PDB file of all heavy atoms in Angstrom:
ATOM      1  N   ALA E 130     104.383  93.143 107.180  1.00  0.00           N
ATOM      2  CA  ALA E 130     104.433  91.752 106.711  1.00  0.00           C
ATOM      3  C   ALA E 130     103.874  91.639 105.300  1.00  0.00           C
ATOM      4  O   ALA E 130     104.430  90.915 104.468  1.00  0.00           O
ATOM      5  CB  ALA E 130     103.665  90.842 107.666  1.00  0.00           C
ATOM      6  N   ALA E 131     102.800  92.354 105.004  1.00  0.00           N
ATOM      7  CA  ALA E 131     102.225  92.316 103.654  1.00  0.00           C
ATOM      8  C   ALA E 131     103.218  92.844 102.630  1.00  0.00           C
ATOM      9  O   ALA E 131     103.381  92.266 101.545  1.00  0.00           O
ATOM     10  CB  ALA E 131     100.918  93.125 103.613  1.00  0.00           C
ATOM     11  N   VAL E 132     103.914  93.920 102.967  1.00  0.00           N
ATOM     12  CA  VAL E 132     104.922  94.474 102.051  1.00  0.00           C
ATOM     13  C   VAL E 132     106.084  93.504 101.901  1.00  0.00           C
ATOM     14  O   VAL E 132     106.478  93.137 100.790  1.00  0.00           O
ATOM     15  CB  VAL E 132     105.421  95.855 102.537  1.00  0.00           C
ATOM     16  CG1 VAL E 132     106.630  96.316 101.721  1.00  0.00           C
ATOM     17  CG2 VAL E 132     104.300  96.891 102.475  1.00  0.00           C
ATOM     18  N   ALA E 133     106.644  93.072 103.026  1.00  0.00           N
ATOM     19  CA  ALA E 133     107.873  92.254 102.996  1.00  0.00           C
ATOM     20  C   ALA E 133     107.646  90.869 102.409  1.00  0.00           C
ATOM     21  O   ALA E 133     108.434  90.410 101.576  1.00  0.00           O
ATOM     22  CB  ALA E 133     108.437  92.131 104.405  1.00  0.00           C
ATOM     23  N   ASP E 134     106.597  90.209 102.837  1.00  0.00           N
ATOM     24  CA  ASP E 134     106.428  88.797 102.500  1.00  0.00           C
ATOM     25  C   ASP E 134     105.679  88.556 101.197  1.00  0.00           C
ATOM     26  O   ASP E 134     105.929  87.564 100.522  1.00  0.00           O
ATOM     27  CB  ASP E 134     105.700  88.064 103.630  1.00  0.00           C
ATOM     28  CG  ASP E 134     106.447  88.149 104.948  1.00  0.00           C
ATOM     29  OD1 ASP E 134     107.678  88.361 104.919  1.00  0.00           O
ATOM     30  OD2 ASP E 134     105.800  88.016 106.002  1.00  0.00           O
ATOM     31  N   GLN E 135     104.762  89.446 100.863  1.00  0.00           N
ATOM     32  CA  GLN E 135     103.929  89.169  99.702  1.00  0.00           C
ATOM     33  C   GLN E 135     104.086  90.176  98.572  1.00  0.00           C
ATOM     34  O   GLN E 135     104.086  89.804  97.408  1.00  0.00           O
ATOM     35  CB  GLN E 135     102.466  89.057 100.135  1.00  0.00           C
ATOM     36  CG  GLN E 135     102.277  87.879 101.079  1.00  0.00           C
ATOM     37  CD  GLN E 135     100.845  87.714 101.518  1.00  0.00           C
ATOM     38  OE1 GLN E 135      99.934  87.994 100.770  1.00  0.00           O
ATOM     39  NE2 GLN E 135     100.657  87.261 102.734  1.00  0.00           N
ATOM     40  N   ALA E 136     104.216  91.447  98.883  1.00  0.00           N
ATOM     41  CA  ALA E 136     104.344  92.443  97.820  1.00  0.00           C
ATOM     42  C   ALA E 136     105.756  92.484  97.231  1.00  0.00           C
ATOM     43  O   ALA E 136     105.909  92.649  96.022  1.00  0.00           O
ATOM     44  CB  ALA E 136     103.943  93.824  98.340  1.00  0.00           C
ATOM     45  N   MET E 137     106.778  92.327  98.058  1.00  0.00           N
ATOM     46  CA  MET E 137     108.155  92.451  97.568  1.00  0.00           C
ATOM     47  C   MET E 137     108.501  91.464  96.445  1.00  0.00           C
ATOM     48  O   MET E 137     109.164  91.855  95.483  1.00  0.00           O
ATOM     49  CB  MET E 137     109.158  92.336  98.717  1.00  0.00           C
ATOM     50  CG  MET E 137     109.227  93.563  99.609  1.00  0.00           C
ATOM     51  SD  MET E 137     109.717  95.082  98.764  1.00  0.00           S
ATOM     52  CE  MET E 137     111.385  94.687  98.298  1.00  0.00           C
ATOM     53  N   PRO E 138     108.086  90.215  96.498  1.00  0.00           N
ATOM     54  CA  PRO E 138     108.392  89.338  95.358  1.00  0.00           C
ATOM     55  C   PRO E 138     107.784  89.860  94.046  1.00  0.00           C
ATOM     56  O   PRO E 138     108.438  89.815  93.005  1.00  0.00           O
ATOM     57  CB  PRO E 138     107.784  87.989  95.766  1.00  0.00           C
ATOM     58  CG  PRO E 138     107.793  88.022  97.259  1.00  0.00           C
ATOM     59  CD  PRO E 138     107.504  89.454  97.618  1.00  0.00           C
ATOM     60  N   GLU E 139     106.569  90.375  94.093  1.00  0.00           N
ATOM     61  CA  GLU E 139     105.952  90.928  92.887  1.00  0.00           C
ATOM     62  C   GLU E 139     106.639  92.216  92.458  1.00  0.00           C
ATOM     63  O   GLU E 139     106.829  92.464  91.264  1.00  0.00           O
ATOM     64  CB  GLU E 139     104.458  91.168  93.112  1.00  0.00           C
ATOM     65  CG  GLU E 139     103.757  91.807  91.937  1.00  0.00           C
ATOM     66  CD  GLU E 139     103.750  90.962  90.661  1.00  0.00           C
ATOM     67  OE1 GLU E 139     104.009  89.746  90.711  1.00  0.00           O
ATOM     68  OE2 GLU E 139     103.475  91.547  89.584  1.00  0.00           O
ATOM     69  N   ILE E 140     107.033  93.030  93.412  1.00  0.00           N
ATOM     70  CA  ILE E 140     107.770  94.254  93.089  1.00  0.00           C
ATOM     71  C   ILE E 140     109.081  93.891  92.384  1.00  0.00           C
ATOM     72  O   ILE E 140     109.423  94.479  91.358  1.00  0.00           O
ATOM     73  CB  ILE E 140     108.027  95.091  94.363  1.00  0.00           C
ATOM     74  CG1 ILE E 140     106.714  95.693  94.861  1.00  0.00           C
ATOM     75  CG2 ILE E 140     109.082  96.160  94.125  1.00  0.00           C
ATOM     76  CD1 ILE E 140     106.789  96.289  96.257  1.00  0.00           C
ATOM     77  N   ARG E 141     109.795  92.918  92.904  1.00  0.00           N
ATOM     78  CA  ARG E 141     111.058  92.489  92.278  1.00  0.00           C
ATOM     79  C   ARG E 141     110.819  91.948  90.869  1.00  0.00           C
ATOM     80  O   ARG E 141     111.601  92.196  89.947  1.00  0.00           O
ATOM     81  CB  ARG E 141     111.746  91.444  93.149  1.00  0.00           C
ATOM     82  CG  ARG E 141     112.373  92.038  94.386  1.00  0.00           C
ATOM     83  CD  ARG E 141     113.201  91.010  95.156  1.00  0.00           C
ATOM     84  NE  ARG E 141     113.592  91.540  96.432  1.00  0.00           N
ATOM     85  CZ  ARG E 141     112.992  91.238  97.597  1.00  0.00           C
ATOM     86  NH1 ARG E 141     111.983  90.390  97.627  1.00  0.00           N
ATOM     87  NH2 ARG E 141     113.404  91.783  98.724  1.00  0.00           N
TER      88      ARG E 141
END
Side-chain angles (χ1 to χ4, degrees):
V132 170
D134 301 337
Q135 297 181 33
M137 286 300 295
E139 177 63 16
I140 290 168
R141 286 187 190 101

